[in-house]
Amino acid sequence: ASEAVNQLSEKMKSFFPLEGYIVKKDSETVVRDVGKGLVDEGSCFDVFQVGEELIHPVTKQKLGQETIKVGEIVIEKTSDNFSYGRIKSGQKEIAIGNKIRLVSR
């Protein structure tokens, strides 16, 4: 039963990836807006800048926004409402407000 729950949890993560935002950045670390219970120490996240809004040329319907990967972080410490991460790549490009998404491997 335990194995089945773990497998279901992994499938759910692929359908609903854990996302959040960078709320603070220092030279080599970031603080993100998700804490204990949702993220574990050692979890890896891709960091994205939100790009241009995409609008259908005929219907004028908003289709979404482009996302541009600018780096990666690894969670080192979790707190109740936020967590600390170490920047693995993209030091200069990562900024407050960047979107992050859990890397499922």
Side-chain angles (χ1 to χ4, degrees), residues 19-35:
E19 296 182 344
Y21 292 90
I22 302 290
V23 296
K24 182 179 177 184
K25 179 189 175 207
D26 292 329
S27 61
E28 296 178 8
T29 61
V30 296
V31 178
R32 56 151 308 176
D33 62 348
V34 177

Side-chain angles (χ1 to χ4, degrees), residues 18-22 32-34 45-48 73 75 98-102:
L18 181 60
E19 296 182 344
Y21 292 90
I22 302 290
R32 56 151 308 176
D33 62 348
V34 177
F45 287 82
D46 287 335
V47 181
F48 298 90
I73 63 169
I75 301 302
N98 284 157
K99 192 172 198 172
I100 61 173
R101 185 178 309 132
L102 182 65

